[in-house]
Amino acid sequence: DLGIRDVTLCDTIGVANPAQVQCLLREVRAKLPDVELTLHFHNTRGMGLANIFAACELGIQRFETAVGGLGGCPFAPGADGNTATEDAVNMLHEMGYETGIDLDKYLEAVAYTQEHVDARLSGKLLGVRRSTCANVSGHV
């Protein structure tokens, strides 16, 4: 009734699981069918990608992620932080979703960030891509 058309739902301490995400989304959609939803998941317990997948199954198309998984939460000390954009994009591409993101170019940005930011990046794809490329020696 206030004209709100966009809402971002956040799991900023990273404790949600896919079943909870789908249950909450069904309830929110039932009450607010015309509101565009964006979701923000931290990866504290390694559920960030699983939660994005669960939301995709219900038609959610907007997510907040971070380069290399940068970020954190003062309420979850030691947590990995945000879900890594490159990992989310890779998963979505592998599932056939179009994101409009050139993953190879994005990984260059992740590598640049890793070299210039004094923080541990928790994203998985950069390390996997580098080690896979080094080990395959031109084999497909």
Side-chain angles (χ1 to χ4, degrees):
D1 293 342
L2 296 174
I4 296 169
R5 296 291 164 241
D6 300 277
V7 172
T8 301
L9 302 173
C10 304
D11 177 23
T12 57
I13 60 171
V15 296
N17 69 58
Q20 291 171 322
V21 168
Q22 287 190 339
C23 181
L24 177 67
L25 289 174
R26 285 185 185 104
E27 289 182 29
V28 170
R29 281 260 169 93
K31 292 181 177 164
L32 305 169
D34 298 325
V35 171
E36 182 81 32
L37 298 176
T38 300
L39 300 181
H40 175 101
F41 296 112
H42 280 229
N43 202 36
T44 304
R45 297 181 182 177
M47 295 279 198
L49 291 177
N51 289 333
I52 289 173
F53 173 76
C56 283
E57 285 193 318
L58 296 182
I60 301 300
Q61 298 180 2
R62 296 183 349 176
F63 300 94
E64 293 179 353
T65 56
V67 62
L70 279 174
C73 177
F75 307 113
D80 269 354
N82 294 295
T83 301
T85 301
E86 62 275 17
D87 294 343
V89 169
N90 182 62
M91 178 187 75
L92 294 169
H93 285 182
E94 292 287 328
M95 293 170 50
Y97 288 94
E98 289 294 327
T99 64
I101 296 171
D102 181 324
L103 190 53
D104 290 326
K105 287 189 186 282
Y106 190 81
L107 286 172
E108 290 175 19
V110 176
Y112 179 87
T113 302
Q114 188 172 46
E115 293 172 12
H116 293 87
V117 173
D118 186 26
R120 184 181 71 80
L121 301 186
S122 61
K124 307 298 184 229
L125 190 60
L126 182 64
V128 171
R129 282 272 178 104
R130 283 183 171 169
S131 65
T132 301
C133 290
N135 292 329
V136 295
S137 302
H139 294 59
V140 179

